[in-house]
Amino acid sequence: MSKIKYGSQTYPWQMNIKKFHGQVPHMADTLIKAGFTGMEAEICMLEDYYTDWQKLKDLLDEKQITFAALAVHEDWLLPEETDGERERLDEAIEFLTHFPTAKLMLGHVAADPVNQLKCISSIAQRAAEAGVVTVFHPNSGENSIFRYESDYHIMFDTLYSKGIGYAPDAGHMLNGGIDPLKVIREHRDIVQHVHFKDMTPDHVWATMGEGIGDFKSIVDFLADTGYQGWIMTEDESPDAEQDSDGVVLADGAYMKSIAR
């Protein structure tokens, strides 16, 4: 029996942020209905559940949902963090000390790759000193600095040399023309957190199972190699704008069909 854990990012609700920001009880209840056991959140979706970690812990404990990761994005344009960036990341690290198994998941906006990786390395070191594990999540937007497989060698050189975990996103790799299973297979030793989202052949985000992603093969590979971390769906499909809850429920049903 595989020990892979399954959850959802809060992003489907973030696509309707005016309606759902701060609605953590509702999101947790929907996760339960979907069959998920974990939540990964963007800070903007937590609101006072971020400033009051005990309130979040009590709620998720009651509902038997694990807080799996906090997603944090900054510009990191300079060789060192700005005062504001450092303050916000220190707040995130302190928050995560109250959720011992949760990861600090760092993503990027538009930045110089060398400067950004210097900042991320410094953050990961501070997080490790506080007992928090850091993972890095590359994306594939037009402003992405790690969009294609040819870009990844710079990223992996730093992740390996600095002991930072890798959080592959299968959907972003599909968007960059990358074979997700190939990359995950090659770098399995540092894979510590996984994102799934689907995409159509013409590069439009799709609800899980309605696109071109071969997610079953990834699940099977991870299970066969003893992966015990989280696989998080992070649906960004147009359907999520119309029906965030419905998309999370559909994603949960799909993941049940391929789970190991």
Side-chain angles (χ1 to χ4, degrees):
M1 181 83 178
S2 167
K3 294 186 179 180
I4 296 175
K5 298 167 286 190
Y6 299 93
S8 176
Q9 231 269 5
T10 57
Y11 202 84
W13 293 289
Q14 192 171 329
M15 296 180 77
N16 283 301
I17 190 168
K18 290 183 179 180
K19 179 178 180 180
F20 289 112
H21 62 101
Q23 300 301 310
V24 180
H26 174 84
M27 290 185 280
D29 287 339
T30 307
L31 292 177
I32 293 168
K33 292 176 184 176
F36 290 128
T37 59
M39 171 188 287
E40 175 189 309
E42 307 264 352
I43 293 172
C44 63
M45 295 304 291
L46 295 176
E47 287 203 337
D48 58 339
Y49 286 90
Y50 181 65
T51 54
D52 185 351
W53 65 266
Q54 189 67 59
K55 181 179 178 181
L56 178 64
K57 186 176 187 303
D58 289 346
L59 172 70
L60 297 184
D61 284 350
E62 175 190 345
K63 296 182 180 295
Q64 297 184 308
I65 293 287
T66 299
F67 191 77
L70 182 71
V72 181
H73 311 276
E74 294 284 350
D75 288 336
W76 295 306
L77 296 171
L78 305 176
E80 296 182 356
E81 297 163 85
T82 65
D83 290 344
E85 288 170 348
R86 185 181 182 95
E87 180 180 350
R88 288 188 292 273
L89 265 297
D90 285 347
E91 288 176 353
I93 292 168
E94 197 281 329
F95 170 85
L96 286 170
T97 62
H98 303 289
F99 301 89
T101 65
K103 303 287 196 300
L104 172 62
M105 196 190 75
L106 302 180
H108 64 281
V109 193
D112 173 88
V114 175
N115 286 344
Q116 181 179 95
L117 290 171
K118 285 181 180 178
C119 291
I120 287 169
S121 298
S122 176
I123 294 162
Q125 181 177 347
R126 297 202 309 276
E129 291 169 355
V132 175
V133 174
T134 299
V135 294
F136 181 66
H137 172 285
N139 62 36
S140 65
E142 292 184 2
N143 63 348
S144 174
I145 55 176
F146 302 116
R147 189 175 185 184
Y148 304 110
E149 192 166 6
S150 58
D151 305 323
Y152 272 34
H153 71 280
I154 299 173
M155 176 184 76
F156 282 123
D157 284 349
T158 296
L159 298 187
Y160 278 102
S161 65
K162 300 298 183 180
I164 301 170
Y166 174 42
D169 186 305
H172 282 305
M173 283 190 274
L174 291 171
N175 195 32
I178 303 169
D179 179 352
L181 179 58
K182 175 178 177 289
V183 173
I184 291 171
R185 188 187 300 274
E186 290 175 350
H187 301 283
R188 171 67 184 84
D189 53 332
I190 60 170
V191 171
Q192 296 188 29
H193 195 71
V194 177
H195 273 196
F196 277 1
K197 53 177 161 278
D198 213 345
M199 170 162 280
T200 68
D202 53 348
H203 292 264
V204 176
W205 297 120
T207 301
M208 291 296 305
E210 297 182 3
I212 61 175
D214 181 8
F215 300 100
K216 175 65 170 144
S217 293
I218 299 173
V219 169
D220 287 344
F221 171 73
L222 290 172
D224 290 343
T225 56
Y227 179 71
Q228 298 184 27
W230 290 95
I231 294 177
M232 289 279 165
T233 60
E234 188 192 21
D235 205 303
E236 298 184 30
S237 67
D239 290 343
E241 294 185 52
Q242 305 301 317
D243 183 7
S244 302
D245 291 348
V247 160
V248 173
L249 295 173
D251 290 345
Y254 175 78
M255 293 307 298
K256 286 178 186 177
S257 74
I258 65 170
R260 283 273 302 275

